[in-house]
Amino acid sequence: MVTLTVNGRQHQTDAETDTPLLYVLRDELGLNGAKFGCGLGQCGACTVNVDGRAIYSCLTPIVALEGKEITTLEGLGTVDKPHPLQRAFMDEQAAQCGYCIAGMIMRANALLQNQPGASEAVIRAHMQPNLCRCGTHMRILRAVRRAALAMKEAAR
Amino acid sequence: MRAGRIVLGLLVILILCGGAFFFWASWPEIAAIQPPAKTSFDPAAVKRGGELVAIGNCITCHTRSDGKPLAGGRALTTPFGRIYATNITPDPDTGIGRWSQEAFDRAMRRGVDRRGEHLYPAFPYDHFTQLSENDLKAIYAYLMTREPVQALMPANELPFPLNLRVTVAAWKLLFLRTGTYRSDPVHDVEWNHGAYLANSLAHCGACHTPRNFLAAEERGDAFGGGSAEGWYAPALNAASPAPVPWTKDSLYTYLRHGFEAQHGSPTGPMREVVASLAQVPESDVRAIATYVASLAPPNPDRQRRAEALLRKLGQPETVGAALPAPPNAGAAIFAGACAVCHSPTRSSGSAEGINLALSSAVNGPDPRNAIRVIIGGIHQADTEPGPLMPDFGGAFTDAQIADLLNYVRTRFAGQPTWPDLLDHIRRIRQGQDNS
């Protein structure tokens, strides 16, 4: 029995200890934001935050996560009150098929939580592991920059 | 009275020696020149110079992460302090634009700059001293025809007395052996070309040879394994930790293409070396591979063990047909995080990772490379898609990485766990242990 803290709530799961977090999020907790892309840590569609850092949930066994704070896309904002990153992705229309977007937002969140107002070069290097097959990268980068500015303003 | 004479005598000897040392240690300034016109250089020399600069991997140290190529500024962390690589573009004021060929040769062969100041041996002139005159000309021609970049370097951060450059002269007296490479008639032309490149320009020993407490290479243990920027540079001689002995063909594939099926991918600073070697003539890389492979003489015992290992790995249905039931956290982490690429029993298409039983990082005496690869992953250059190996630094605690590596080490290398593993992990995580 492993206890996971997801978006501030505790969940107990009977899954095997080597089960990747992604399966528990989607199959047991109904949190479908994080996606299965490659299952190999090569695309970033499954990205969530653990203790503020971006991780690949498809490659992180739950045994490694007890006592850590897991945040998924669902933990960021709501339809009525979107997180600045979600607001920025909507404003920039930074999605085509949308499959990669939850991972993109969560990777960006890990950066902007620590470095609101991160520079273009830092954003690009940080976002490098996440792929978008539709080719929406330019809009995604614009959205992250927009959110960076908004979060810097808010942090004042 | 007698004691007084002895003291006086010793004092005179000391003064004479000191005087001789300072005379030997001081070099005249070489007159500044007008930066030569680009057209004054032979295009063939410029082209060969570019290849040589790639073989020497000059660009890695002489370029800042956000800077222009060869304009310097990158900090090298040494056990003594930080040294900043210089600007070697032909900018007249902040680069080497006013350096004559003579001044350039003196820096490369003697470690003395145009003004006569000693250069710190972080700049590997203990290797470059072996370069031929023709190659020095070509390298100079290439560097002097780059775009000049105005860039001043930060001051080195070295404690007293190492901040005084005359201390470098004492180091040279003890450790620097100058002179161009002499070919070895026992070996053929290709081997000699490889030995020349590897020992001079490519300065392989700068990382792969252990250093003494004054940071000079241990001549008696050439290629016995050393350190580079906090990574372990494996032994290339008989002490090589590679489970399958390197051959000239496997080394060529690795150095040229950045992946070799029985050894894997380069990590850490070696990735930049291999990226440079992709740009040079094939014959140069083949020569280096031929020489390096000869450093570990054939060993029938190792060969037999390697063949037995490869036979075993070739039969996945009998070797660990199923992963053992996770008896500890390390095994469970391996099963959930690593096995999808590194399992000997599962195939995962294009992302198939090397079987860890073949990995030098897992089999070697030093755990740092395995730790660094788990924490930071192996990343492609910015312009290429995706990581080769994802990073797990955010997913696992120090203790979890230690559990994982203890499991991997015993299961795949069949060796006792590394001592002080958790301490190594903590130091790497805290950004220590970078030299």
Side-chain angles (χ1 to χ4, degrees), chain A residues 34-50:
Chain A
K35 301 288 187 286
F36 183 93
C38 63
L40 301 168
Q42 304 288 313
C43 77
C46 67
T47 305
V48 302
N49 293 169
V50 167

Side-chain angles (χ1 to χ4, degrees), chain A residues 17-18 20 39-42 50 53-56 58-61 63-65 68 107 125 128-129 131, chain B residues 332-333 335-337 340-341 351 379-381 384 386-388 390-397 400 429:
Chain A
T17 55
D18 59 359
L40 301 168
Q42 304 288 313
V50 167
R53 295 180 63 174
I55 62 132
Y56 303 95
C58 76
L59 288 183
T60 306
V63 67
L65 294 171
K68 297 179 185 173
R107 184 163 297 274
Q128 192 266 353
L131 304 184
Chain B
I333 291 173
V340 67
C341 291
H379 286 268
Q380 304 269 44
E384 293 171 288
L388 283 181
D391 53 283
F392 292 92
F396 304 143
T397 61
Q400 287 165 345
R429 189 90 89 160

Side-chain angles (χ1 to χ4, degrees), chain A residues 19-81:
Chain A
T19 308
L21 171 66
L22 179 65
Y23 304 157
V24 176
L25 291 178
R26 294 181 61 90
D27 299 345
E28 289 190 26
L29 307 184
L31 297 172
N32 292 327
K35 301 288 187 286
F36 183 93
C38 63
L40 301 168
Q42 304 288 313
C43 77
C46 67
T47 305
V48 302
N49 293 169
V50 167
D51 291 342
R53 295 180 63 174
I55 62 132
Y56 303 95
S57 66
C58 76
L59 288 183
T60 306
I62 53 174
V63 67
L65 294 171
E66 269 193 299
K68 297 179 185 173
E69 295 278 343
I70 301 160
T71 309
T72 70
L73 182 74
E74 293 87 346
L76 282 194
T78 60
V79 173
D80 299 329
K81 214 174 160 218

Side-chain angles (χ1 to χ4, degrees), chain A:
Chain A
M1 182 78 78
V2 174
T3 306
L4 298 173
T5 310
V6 183
N7 300 331
R9 289 181 56 194
Q10 294 210 334
H11 301 274
Q12 291 197 325
T13 170
D14 289 328
E16 295 289 336
T17 55
D18 59 359
T19 308
L21 171 66
L22 179 65
Y23 304 157
V24 176
L25 291 178
R26 294 181 61 90
D27 299 345
E28 289 190 26
L29 307 184
L31 297 172
N32 292 327
K35 301 288 187 286
F36 183 93
C38 63
L40 301 168
Q42 304 288 313
C43 77
C46 67
T47 305
V48 302
N49 293 169
V50 167
D51 291 342
R53 295 180 63 174
I55 62 132
Y56 303 95
S57 66
C58 76
L59 288 183
T60 306
I62 53 174
V63 67
L65 294 171
E66 269 193 299
K68 297 179 185 173
E69 295 278 343
I70 301 160
T71 309
T72 70
L73 182 74
E74 293 87 346
L76 282 194
T78 60
V79 173
D80 299 329
K81 214 174 160 218
H83 183 274
L85 266 163
Q86 292 166 317
R87 177 85 262 158
F89 271 71
M90 287 188 277
D91 290 347
E92 293 290 348
Q93 289 291 289
Q96 191 163 319
C97 84
Y99 202 78
C100 70
I101 296 301
M104 292 283 183
I105 290 179
M106 294 315 291
R107 184 163 297 274
N109 189 51
L111 174 69
L112 299 185
Q113 288 297 326
N114 299 319
Q115 271 190 64
S119 71
E120 170 78 17
V122 170
I123 290 172
R124 278 178 180 254
H126 178 86
M127 298 302 292
Q128 192 266 353
N130 284 41
L131 304 184
C132 162
R133 293 203 68 170
C134 305
T136 321
H137 298 92
M138 300 319 285
R139 286 180 179 229
I140 291 169
L141 285 170
R142 275 210 299 276
V144 177
R145 283 197 298 270
R146 181 190 276 257
L149 286 177
M151 288 167 79
K152 193 176 166 192
E153 281 297 312
R156 279 193 186 188

